[in-house]
Amino acid sequence: MKEKTVSSKSYRIELEAFEGPLDLLLYLLRRDEIDIYDIPVAHVADQFLNYIRAARELDLDIASEYLVMAATLTKMKSKALLPTHRYDGEEEVDPGAELRRQLILYRTFRTIAEELQRSEETWTEIYTSPGERSRWSSDSIEIEPGQASLLDLLKALNSLTEGEAEIPSQRIQRTMLTISECIDTLEGRIVPGKTISFREIIGPEPARLRIVSYFITILELIRRGWISCHQAYPFSEIELQRTERWSVDS
Amino acid sequence: MILDRLAREVEALIFASEKPLSIEQLCEYTGSGEDSIHQALDRLNRAFLDNQHALTIVEVAGGFRIATDREFGDVVSQLFEGRKPGKLSRAALETMAVIAYSQPCTRIAIESIRGVNCDSAIRTLLERDMIRISGRMETPGRPLLYSTTRAFLEYFGLSNLDHLPRFDEIEELLGMSSSEMEERDLFGTGEE
């Protein structure tokens, strides 16, 4: 087990240095001196999968692109191993052609990127006047008409709102009204032998919390059988009366 | 070497200008033709060289500027310490390369060439002002199109897009089917 970890260690460094599956494939081709126009699919697929396996052993996050490529290569490999039926007049389709196209295209752009990097190397050491360095010092980049991007507009908007006073805020204290508190209150209000309406209990212009709390309390008291209630018709006054059980139970 | 009047006028204009001056502007302000300006610029640069100045005149992003010699990069960089952005990552450079050659192009097009997700590379390039959103493609989903900016030319010391290293075949290559590609090795590179 230990040996395995050591051997896969080199993969770790390398995998992180790759800019995706195409980059890794190009590396494999170069390492094994394989002609891009004559790729031994089975061999390359195995090599590629080795890397993925090694990365997986190390619990590395493998970008999904690598897995797609691994699947593609596996499919190509299995196709290459199976005997092909060729019908007259039908040309053999090379499954590697599309991959080859991708590799060549990517390789070209990678070469260009290297070229750009050389220019960058040179030009970061050159300072011009008047030059681009105003970009680094001030945030007021001059933008030609019609050239402003969404990002520029967002930047402009941000600079306007930056440092502006905070949105005025106010602390709102939440009042708590528990069921047991309500029961204690109702104890004195619902007196034996008298009828009281729900409206009377909650009082004039009650807060929503008060209505809800007392309503739930009423339901609770009904459940316990401590009060009886009566409502003549929907939305009419709810009349409440204490029962014998209240005094007995409590 | 004694510089003539025109060369010194050009030097004064480039030095004093707030913006890089184009060849047309130099012609207009000096009342001379393009050829004379180019020759004057050559004489100026020769004079800089002969007298071992740390400056030359270069054409970047369609305008002429006075530039310091590369040799003094380290000394001059002290002026901009902490403000100068770092170099671009490989991912950003590759993404930059694809956009530069196939602009305007969509994110999907870039990703299909690079074979990986390019979200963060694109974001970096947008933030650094190297690319801009230049429109939308009129296909389902109307994806955004990206193009290079003048800052891109300045950053890589290019005078204009035509001065990108030539890869004439790219356009052809992008539109070509895989079977067509089989027939020839477009870059004569064959192997790595």
Side-chain angles (χ1 to χ4, degrees), chain B residues 133-168:
Chain B
I133 295 163
S134 56
R136 283 174 182 277
M137 195 178 236
E138 292 307 327
T139 53
R142 302 186 71 231
L144 294 171
L145 288 166
Y146 300 98
S147 298
T148 57
T149 61
R150 204 171 67 189
F152 156 74
L153 296 173
E154 286 170 352
Y155 188 77
F156 292 100
L158 298 158
S159 58
N160 57 51
L161 282 176
D162 297 333
H163 278 69
L164 281 171
R166 289 245 54 102
F167 285 87
D168 287 333

Side-chain angles (χ1 to χ4, degrees), chain A residues 39-42 73-84 95:
Chain A
I39 301 174
V41 176
L73 286 171
T74 310
K75 190 179 162 199
M76 281 170 58
K77 180 184 168 185
S78 64
K79 264 198 181 153
L81 293 175
L82 288 171
T84 49

Side-chain angles (χ1 to χ4, degrees), chain A residues 16 19 27 88 97-98 106 129 140 154 163 165 204 223:
Chain A
E16 280 174 3
E19 285 294 334
Y27 162 77
D88 284 338
E98 176 53 28
Y106 175 67
S129 169
S140 59
L154 281 173
R223 190 186 68 79

